[in-house]
């Protein structure tokens, strides 16, 4: 039998934050160090507005799984060029069947970044 007294503590590798809509999960997450949020539910505007009203930090990073600003990003994610729609108002809507592939690519990029210490998938 092992003793916890002999165990060297390490940082947790993951935390699951659960709660009803509007309970502050994203706001809490955004205040963690070097935070990157993969925005899956298209609902960052509310938390960002609240953080600004409270004069709290909005210095986190994020990407939206549903859109891309450049087709090269989607090509790099492995989405066939023939299936990439034309931009509308400067944004490309990612086809639904490619959302997971796009999200995986965005998470890979976040993992590689020296700026990112915390990764959150918001409401998948």
């Amino acid at each position: 039998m092992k003793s916890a007294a002999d165990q060297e503590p390490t940082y947790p590798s993951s935390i699951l934050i659960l709660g009803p809509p509007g309970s502050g999960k994203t706001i809490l997450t955004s205040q963690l160090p070097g935070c990157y949020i993969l925005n899956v539910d298209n609902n960052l505007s509310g938390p960002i507005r609240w953080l600004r009203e409270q004069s709290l930090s909005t210095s986190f990073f994020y990407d939206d799984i549903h859109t891309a600003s450049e087709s090269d990003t989607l090509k790099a994610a492995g989405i066939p060029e023939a299936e990439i729609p034309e931009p509308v108002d400067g944004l490309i809507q990612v086809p639904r069947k490619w959302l997971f592939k796009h999200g995986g690519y965005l998470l890979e990029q976040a993992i590689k970044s020296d700026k990112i210490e915390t990764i959150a998938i918001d409401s998948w």
Side-chain angles (χ1 to χ4, degrees):
M1 181 180 324
K2 297 179 181 180
S3 170
D6 298 330
Q7 178 66 34
E8 286 296 319
T10 59
Y11 293 102
S13 57
S14 61
I15 299 171
L16 177 62
I17 301 172
L18 297 171
S23 62
K25 301 176 299 292
T26 304
I27 291 167
L28 172 65
T29 303
S30 73
Q31 300 304 290
L32 296 172
C35 184
Y36 169 83
I37 297 175
L38 182 59
N39 183 22
V40 178
D41 64 1
N42 284 329
N43 192 29
L44 275 183
S45 61
I48 290 171
R49 184 175 46 256
W50 189 89
L51 288 164
R52 288 182 179 158
E53 288 169 358
Q54 303 303 312
S55 299
L56 294 172
S57 173
T58 55
S59 63
F60 59 89
F61 303 94
Y62 75 93
D63 281 308
D64 182 356
I65 194 173
H66 299 279
T67 60
S69 57
E70 300 175 3
S71 62
D72 289 346
T73 302
L74 298 175
K75 290 178 202 171
I79 299 171
E81 186 172 358
E83 296 192 34
I84 299 173
E86 290 296 317
V88 176
D89 295 328
L91 290 176
I92 302 167
Q93 295 295 316
V94 178
R96 186 171 187 212
K97 71 179 187 176
W98 297 113
L99 290 177
F100 280 108
K101 192 168 204 79
H102 184 230
Y105 174 77
L106 295 171
L107 289 171
E108 280 181 33
Q109 299 311 301
I111 289 168
K112 293 176 185 177
S113 172
D114 293 337
K115 298 176 184 178
I116 306 301
E117 297 177 56
T118 304
I119 294 178
I121 301 173
D122 193 21
S123 297
W124 203 322

